[in-house]
Amino acid sequence: MNTPRYIIGIDLGTTNSAVAYVPADTDRVEEASIRLLEIPQLVDAGVVASRPLLPSFVLLPTAQDVPRDALALPWDPNPGMAVGEFARRRGEEIPHRLIASAKSWLCNTLVDRKARILPWDEAAGGSPSATEGKMSPVEASAAILRHLRLAWNHVMARSPSGETQAHLAMENQAVFLTVPASFDPVARELTVAAAQMAGLPKVTLLEEPQAAFYAWIAHHAERWREVMAPGDLVLVCDVGGGTTDFSLIQVADDQGRLSLERVAVGNHLLIGGTNMDLTLAYALARQLAEGGTRLDSWQMNGLWQSCRTAKERLLSEPDLQRLPVTVLGRGSRLIGGTISTDLTRETAEHLLRDGFLPLCDREDRPQATKRAGIQEFGLAFEADPAITRHLAAFLDRAAADGRSAAPTAVLFNGGVMKSALFRQQILTALDRWSPSGTVREIDGADFDLAVARGAACYGLAKQGTGIRIRGGLGRAYYIGIAAAMPAVPGLPAPTKALCVAAFGMEEGTTAAIADREFVLRVGEPVVFDFLGSTTRKADAVGTVVEDWEEQIQPITTLETTLDGEPGQILPVTLELHVTEVGTLELWCVSKVDERRWKLEWNVRER
């Protein structure tokens, strides 16, 4: 394959997606060199225009909802669906045809994420008999990524004759796709599967908070000393449409150069703009009910989508004080009339600030509420929506590692953080918790586009152009291997600890134990024990520790059945890859054929 011409960063967002790119031969990381793709998309029935953001919505209309020829795109005269701006707007009117928050469904462990359950229908419950006209979360994510790929190929790789030039096609570039820092291994695998389904056979995953910080690096280039000083501990606070992510990055001076180390990553929090939109929808529904108008579930879904648009405008346009919110009525007439009410700035700010960002004490923790024994299926939102209490808990966990967890600066990212009111509320909370004084906000690049820009910047850093955020492993990792010895009645074979990842090993690196041979049992249930140590810092990859109980602790156990003939035992070597998103991939490589088996676990989970 030819050397990629471009490094491409893709932000597959819950609410909006974006694409940034930079020539692969760029020798300096500067914001000006990172460009944004203007994405062609339907903005109205039969109308195509280019926008820097692609709303992450998929509309699956019938011919009665939207004429088929009105969905045509420059590269597909009959796509059968709409992705982007028109999907979002028309979907507010026919919400039962709209897939929203597909990214959040990717990490919902309570559903089969490969089953066709979206748009979610509470009445049908996602049953197999109700899958006509639906997509799985993976397929919906793939539809968004496919639109981005085909839009790129149309804009950047089209020849004068209209054909796609292979050497410029997105699938042949270096593509970096961002995910929440807290995505579990399954959600990450499903994201990769969606990319492959979309025609992107090879992508590299990158955490969104790290990408936001890389965008900051590109924004400030060599002027970082004007903004930060060695010793700063930067909180990256990323609140998007569906998730909230926290990361801590330590700033140091390495012989006059900026040195960055990511020292903590938060848990997965399904809190974001989607929760806020639903809060506003329920508030307006109560307001309508007091006036004698009650909404059914279909209308509530439409109101939820309409509140999102109104909220975004109210929080980003300071001069607006109120906006009408309209939902289709139910009736015998063609449209059935409409129901309208107003959402005021005062209502939005009061509900969202006090409900999602209450000022709390440093010792406060997310509140556990009593749950109903049976509840409707759907997205697994956090029981406590208070982002500030989740932030206090994150800082407490970070401090448990023995490091300072008092941020001196905050980098905000995500669409929700476009609101100056919300940013100030978090800064006020951090000031109350800080032992050393005021916590300052550092200027970011763009709340909507920073993650895509940062992913492209990271691609440059990975090939040696620019600063790279270090995130070396905070412990050494081992896998248990059974000793080869004669069986003794009543005594299991002793387990030795094989070091597969050394202390401080950088994420994005690979190591191999090629000089030793192991045996692997396939085709039947087996158990793998994963171990770790914070004290054995000198163990290299491949070190075998026989007497390990005092210095090495069990972390987790994986029970699985590896593909193969039942009971077959194969000679293998081992390869270890530490990914950029915090997982260890241990590959067992057959010595007799081309087969490889992957064992994976998240080193950030406790």
Side-chain angles (χ1 to χ4, degrees):
M1 176 179 160
N2 294 330
T3 302
R5 297 286 189 91
Y6 294 101
I7 294 170
I8 300 175
I10 298 179
D11 175 14
L12 178 62
T14 306
T15 305
N16 292 295
S17 296
V19 177
Y21 62 98
V22 62
D25 58 0
T26 301
D27 58 4
R28 287 175 58 85
V29 178
E30 293 178 342
E31 190 175 33
S33 63
I34 299 174
R35 306 163 196 168
L36 292 168
L37 178 70
E38 291 286 330
I39 305 167
Q41 59 193 281
L42 281 173
V43 296
D44 206 341
V47 180
V48 175
S50 296
R51 302 280 191 270
L53 291 172
L54 178 75
S56 302
F57 296 83
V58 181
L59 185 69
L60 303 174
T62 65
Q64 290 72 38
D65 298 320
V66 182
R68 288 303 184 195
D69 58 357
L71 298 174
L73 292 165
W75 53 85
D76 188 348
N78 185 25
M81 69 178 74
V83 178
E85 180 64 32
F86 175 64
R88 178 173 67 176
R89 290 199 297 104
R90 184 71 176 102
E92 292 176 1
E93 300 168 341
I94 48 173
H96 59 295
R97 304 290 185 193
L98 180 68
I99 298 176
S101 303
K103 178 178 172 180
S104 295
W105 284 96
L106 277 181
C107 60
N108 188 344
T109 59
L110 300 178
V111 300
D112 180 354
R113 288 162 276 187
K114 295 182 179 180
R116 292 184 170 176
I117 58 175
L118 302 178
W120 182 259
D121 181 355
E122 289 83 358
S127 64
S129 62
T131 59
E132 185 178 354
K134 289 181 177 285
M135 285 183 162
S136 71
V138 177
E139 289 172 328
S141 300
I144 298 168
L145 289 170
R146 185 181 300 110
H147 185 105
L148 294 175
R149 179 179 69 84
L150 295 174
W152 167 280
N153 290 350
H154 177 75
V155 174
M156 301 291 294
R158 187 173 43 158
S159 70
S161 62
E163 297 178 351
T164 299
Q165 301 178 82
H167 69 289
L168 297 176
M170 178 182 279
E171 53 266 35
N172 295 324
Q173 310 310 310
V175 179
F176 295 85
L177 178 59
T178 64
V179 293
S182 45
F183 250 22
D184 61 59
V186 175
R188 287 190 286 267
E189 289 287 348
L190 293 175
T191 303
V192 173
Q196 292 171 343
M197 192 180 295
L200 297 172
K202 182 174 176 55
V203 297
T204 299
L205 298 184
L206 174 67
E207 299 168 357
E208 290 166 4
Q210 276 205 66
F213 206 93
Y214 276 109
W216 176 87
I217 292 173
H219 183 61
H220 290 278
E222 300 300 322
R223 299 178 291 107
W224 66 272
R225 288 182 181 276
E226 300 171 11
V227 183
M228 288 189 197
D232 272 334
L233 183 64
V234 181
L235 167 68
V236 182
C237 180
D238 186 346
V239 186
T243 58
T244 292
D245 270 326
F246 303 124
S247 291
L248 285 175
I249 295 178
Q250 184 72 57
V251 181
D253 188 332
D254 181 10
Q255 298 180 350
R257 289 176 53 83
L258 175 65
S259 173
L260 303 168
E261 180 183 6
R262 194 211 54 250
V263 295
V265 174
N267 293 333
H268 181 73
L269 299 174
L270 203 58
I271 307 172
T274 299
N275 307 66
M276 297 180 177
D277 304 335
L278 189 58
T279 299
L280 297 176
Y282 275 111
L284 293 187
R286 286 194 299 269
Q287 185 176 303
L288 288 168
E290 291 169 0
T293 302
R294 295 187 177 277
L295 305 181
D296 60 23
S297 60
W298 183 89
Q299 291 169 315
M300 274 299 301
N301 202 347
L303 181 61
W304 182 2
Q305 304 301 333
S306 298
C307 282
R308 181 193 61 251
T309 303
K311 176 208 69 181
E312 291 174 355
R313 288 196 60 192
L314 282 172
L315 296 181
S316 61
E317 300 179 31
D319 294 335
L320 281 177
Q321 295 304 314
R322 64 176 58 236
L323 278 173
V325 176
T326 302
V327 61
L328 293 182
R330 294 285 207 179
S332 58
R333 286 175 294 166
L334 178 62
I335 299 179
T338 58
I339 301 167
S340 184
T341 186
D342 283 350
L343 177 63
T344 66
R345 173 182 295 279
E346 181 181 4
T347 297
E349 290 184 348
H350 168 71
L351 286 174
L352 302 185
R353 180 190 59 211
D354 297 344
F356 290 87
L357 297 163
L359 294 179
C360 61
D361 293 331
R362 176 69 172 76
E363 295 75 24
D364 286 349
R365 295 295 177 266
Q367 299 174 357
T369 58
K370 287 187 177 180
R371 302 261 187 150
I374 299 177
Q375 65 184 43
E376 283 185 341
F377 233 86
L379 287 174
F381 295 116
E382 293 294 324
D384 187 348
I387 292 171
T388 41
R389 286 195 283 267
H390 287 284
L391 176 57
F394 162 68
L395 295 176
D396 184 63
R397 289 192 300 273
D401 288 338
R403 296 175 179 264
S404 169
T408 59
V410 186
L411 175 64
F412 291 108
N413 190 60
V416 171
M417 290 292 98
K418 287 191 284 188
S419 168
L421 174 73
F422 295 166
R423 299 199 303 274
Q424 186 55 53
Q425 189 80 346
I426 291 177
L427 288 168
T428 300
L430 290 170
D431 284 347
R432 291 177 56 170
W433 305 341
S434 175
S436 58
T438 302
V439 179
R440 69 191 189 279
E441 176 183 357
I442 60 174
D443 294 333
D446 186 299
F447 295 107
D448 286 323
L449 300 170
V451 167
R453 290 181 183 274
C457 178
Y458 169 77
L460 287 175
K462 190 172 183 182
Q463 67 180 23
T465 302
I467 301 163
R468 188 165 178 181
I469 300 172
R470 294 183 295 109
L473 298 179
R475 64 181 68 188
Y477 288 91
Y478 306 77
I479 191 168
I481 56 173
M485 61 174 290
V488 177
L491 182 67
T495 298
K496 301 178 182 180
L498 171 69
C499 181
V500 292
F503 186 94
M505 190 171 176
E506 289 290 329
E507 293 177 349
T509 57
T510 298
I513 307 175
D515 57 346
R516 292 197 56 178
E517 195 172 286
F518 304 89
V519 292
L520 182 72
R521 186 179 297 273
V522 300
E524 63 183 43
V526 288
V527 173
F528 296 91
D529 293 319
F530 297 116
L531 319 165
S533 174
T534 58
T535 58
R536 296 185 64 93
K537 299 183 179 181
D539 285 352
V541 173
T543 300
V544 175
V545 184
E546 297 190 13
D547 185 13
W548 54 266
E549 285 80 0
E550 292 185 2
Q551 292 183 298
I552 301 175
Q553 295 75 42
I555 294 178
T556 189
T557 297
L558 172 65
E559 299 183 21
T560 188
T561 300
L562 301 177
D563 291 339
E565 182 181 339
Q568 186 179 17
I569 296 176
L570 297 168
V572 296
T573 59
L574 301 179
E575 294 178 4
L576 187 282
H577 179 57
V578 187
T579 73
E580 288 84 354
V581 290
T583 55
L584 293 186
E585 296 179 354
L586 183 63
W587 291 87
C588 303
V589 183
S590 172
K591 296 270 291 182
V592 298
D593 53 33
E594 300 299 318
R595 285 183 291 173
R596 294 161 60 90
W597 297 266
K598 182 174 72 170
L599 309 174
E600 182 179 37
W601 73 103
N602 190 340
V603 301
R604 297 179 190 150
E605 292 178 351
R606 297 185 180 281

